[in-house]
Amino acid sequence: MTTASLTAAPLPRWREGAWAGIPAIRVIHGFAAAMHAAFIFFACFAFSDASPYDLIALPTMLLWLALGVRLHRGAVPLVFLLALYLSAIVVALLPYVSEPLPLTWTIQLGYLVITAVFFAMLYADDTQGRLDLALKAYTASCVLSAGLGIVGYLQLLGIEDLFSRYGRASGTFQDPNVFGSYLILGTLTLTHGLLTGRGRHPVLALACLLVILAGTLLSFSRGSWGATLVSTGLMVGFVFVTSRSRAMRRRIVLLGLVTASLGAAALVGLLSIDSVAKTFESRATVTQDYDEGETGRFGNQIRGMSMLLDEPLGMGPLRWRQIFGLEPHNSYIGSFANGGWLGGAVFIALVAATSFVGFRLMARASPYRPYAQIVFPALLMFFVQAMQIDVEKWRHVYMMLGMVWALEAARLRWESRGRDHDAVPRATHAAAAGDGRDGNGYAGASHPHGRAATGESRSP
């Protein structure tokens, strides 16, 4: 057969048609992105210990690892602290390793630690693209869960027991407190988009925001109410202070007033419902009956802390529950009880280190500052809530831990390169207009250390 006849031969069938020009790797990456979005979205389904989130976790992580995600030096402190914390828990577990509940609890904790490390690796590369997708998927899950929580609370479909607990909206969660706290990141994502003009559909975003806020209110979770208000104020404050655009600052003030007015109107409307008003009145107190007394939550904590002074290796996983009949309802005390003095010290160090990194990310000019201003305030509120609730088994806390440290890893790599590769393809209308700011009205994000193209220092 001649060369001419070879070139004239028809293509095999598998190379014909619409798939002919699509490389296999592109299809695999598209599938991996879909798995990633589903992984994040399913975090809202927490009816039981096993959820769709857990079922999709392993194949998603294995697929992305096969595609080459890697650990960058900026996220190494997170891995070190989580490994040390888990090691302390395992040591405390050893006397009770034959008991199924403590063993299962520790295995679950190890799995959550692995997810945090995975997220720190995943978002350290193509940071903006992957985080955009993750925040959209997470916000969609918040809208769904909040909508179901409202439906359940108002008994609109006769399935109120599925989406409400104890006379409070719980959405797709077992606990109304976890439900209310889960919605914080969705609130911040939508609010940030409205303030900065990043969203393409502001009316839809505002409607979704009101649904999430209504779900938060109907959770009747005092911690979630306070955390939503404080985290939103912190985010808005940092966006306002770090913006160099007067137009942006006016927009922030105007939209802040409009959103506050709409939120107040929605609150008045909900409180006009008798059942809502009564539950609100009973929940809007500093303490509840189960908090007080020698055998209440606070009494148990005082007695337990004195006991922990004599337990350098801790009580062991879940032993606090067996001793006092209740969880500690304080993750800081719980870390000392579950992992001993080392576990408690490492947990505090993890919170301190992440808080330092988070505040620096929110303040220092970089392409990743807008994402830090969304994610870190939500995570910070979980650190605060950890003083009155157990957050060490919440899936979304480990997700946000990974996000914050991935942002730090990406920022360090961006600064070391001396130029911005990640943000240029994603320049928005503000940058395209040539006003010297990034897409959120922040000056100087196109070069490390906050220097604009003119060389002028723009760091906050």
Side-chain angles (χ1 to χ4, degrees):
M1 186 178 292
T2 65
T3 304
S5 63
L6 282 172
T7 56
L11 293 172
R13 287 185 179 274
W14 65 270
R15 295 187 60 186
E16 297 176 355
W19 294 91
I22 302 178
I25 191 64
R26 187 178 303 173
V27 177
I28 295 173
H29 273 283
F31 179 70
M35 293 283 284
H36 166 217
F39 189 18
I40 301 297
F41 179 81
F42 285 141
C44 73
F45 291 96
F47 287 114
S48 61
D49 290 337
S51 76
Y53 178 90
D54 303 310
L55 295 177
I56 201 173
L58 183 59
T60 301
M61 290 189 290
L62 290 176
L63 176 58
W64 277 99
L65 287 171
L67 289 175
V69 294
R70 50 188 173 156
L71 180 67
H72 295 282
R73 65 181 178 88
V76 169
L78 172 69
V79 177
F80 173 75
L81 290 171
L82 287 177
L84 195 58
Y85 176 65
L86 185 59
S87 299
I89 300 290
V90 170
V91 170
L93 169 71
L94 292 179
Y96 315 100
V97 71
S98 61
E99 299 181 16
L101 287 179
L103 178 61
T104 301
W105 187 91
T106 305
I107 293 173
Q108 291 173 343
L109 180 65
Y111 151 70
L112 292 173
V113 165
I114 291 172
T115 64
V117 174
F118 167 72
F119 288 125
M121 297 167 65
L122 177 65
Y123 300 125
D125 290 307
D126 189 19
T127 303
Q128 293 170 303
R130 293 173 185 174
L131 270 180
D132 279 338
L133 178 61
L135 292 176
K136 287 177 182 177
Y138 191 99
T139 303
S141 74
C142 289
V143 174
L144 173 65
S145 188
L148 292 175
I150 295 169
V151 167
Y153 180 84
L154 298 179
Q155 304 181 17
L156 299 179
L157 299 177
I159 54 175
E160 59 274 9
D161 291 340
L162 185 60
F163 303 122
S164 64
R165 299 279 194 283
Y166 324 117
R168 301 156 59 189
S170 60
T172 51
F173 291 82
Q174 291 178 315
D175 187 343
N177 295 314
V178 184
F179 164 66
S181 296
Y182 180 85
L183 301 178
I184 294 173
L185 183 58
T187 299
L188 297 182
T189 301
L190 291 171
T191 303
H192 189 276
L194 289 170
L195 289 177
T196 59
R198 295 183 72 196
R200 296 180 180 179
H201 308 285
V203 176
L204 177 61
L206 181 59
C208 291
L209 177 60
L210 292 177
V211 170
I212 293 177
L213 291 176
T216 304
L217 175 65
L218 294 179
S219 72
F220 296 103
S221 169
R222 296 163 295 168
S224 300
W225 292 344
T228 299
L229 289 174
V230 174
S231 61
T232 302
L234 185 65
M235 181 199 71
V236 172
F238 267 89
V239 172
F240 185 88
V241 170
T242 56
S243 174
R244 295 296 181 262
S245 168
R246 292 183 179 179
M248 176 64 68
R249 291 188 173 189
R250 286 195 298 268
R251 179 189 180 91
I252 291 171
V253 174
L254 177 62
L255 289 180
L257 293 174
V258 171
T259 303
S261 299
L262 291 174
L267 176 62
V268 171
L270 287 170
L271 291 178
S272 66
I273 303 173
D274 289 341
S275 61
V276 176
K278 291 178 181 179
T279 308
F280 182 85
E281 183 179 357
S282 66
R283 293 292 301 173
T285 57
V286 177
T287 61
Q288 299 290 316
D289 293 339
Y290 53 77
D291 292 325
E292 302 168 351
E294 185 178 350
T295 58
R297 172 168 53 174
F298 300 139
N300 287 341
Q301 291 174 357
I302 293 172
R303 290 186 294 140
M305 284 189 289
S306 63
M307 294 172 61
L308 289 172
L309 294 176
D310 300 322
E311 298 283 354
L313 296 180
M315 299 176 178
L318 298 185
R319 304 300 296 180
W320 182 286
R321 178 196 300 176
Q322 295 185 14
I323 294 172
F324 296 104
L326 291 172
E327 299 291 353
H329 292 297
N330 183 309
S331 292
Y332 298 94
I333 296 176
S335 63
F336 282 94
N338 295 325
W341 295 355
L342 176 62
V346 172
F347 186 82
I348 292 173
L350 175 63
V351 170
T354 306
S355 299
F356 173 80
V357 166
F359 277 112
R360 182 170 63 184
L361 283 166
M362 287 202 299
R364 184 170 295 182
S366 78
Y368 314 107
R369 181 166 66 185
Y371 299 94
Q373 291 174 347
I374 296 171
V375 176
F376 177 67
L379 180 60
L380 180 64
M381 290 304 100
F382 289 124
F383 291 159
V384 175
Q385 284 185 290
M387 291 187 286
Q388 52 92 32
I389 198 169
D390 305 294
V391 304
E392 61 268 21
K393 296 299 288 292
W394 291 6
R395 300 177 180 94
H396 46 289
V397 171
Y398 291 86
M399 181 193 305
M400 294 178 204
L401 264 176
M403 287 178 174
V404 169
W405 284 94
L407 287 168
E408 174 67 0
R411 183 191 66 81
L412 290 174
R413 290 169 54 235
W414 172 75
E415 286 193 342
S416 67
R417 286 196 303 264
R419 61 186 181 276
D420 181 10
H421 291 301
D422 199 21
V424 170
R426 296 184 172 273
T428 62
H429 58 277
D435 63 355
R437 300 177 178 85
D438 70 0
N440 299 299
Y442 307 129
S446 60
H447 191 278
H449 314 299
R451 298 183 183 276
T454 59
E456 179 186 357
S457 175
R458 304 272 188 154
S459 57

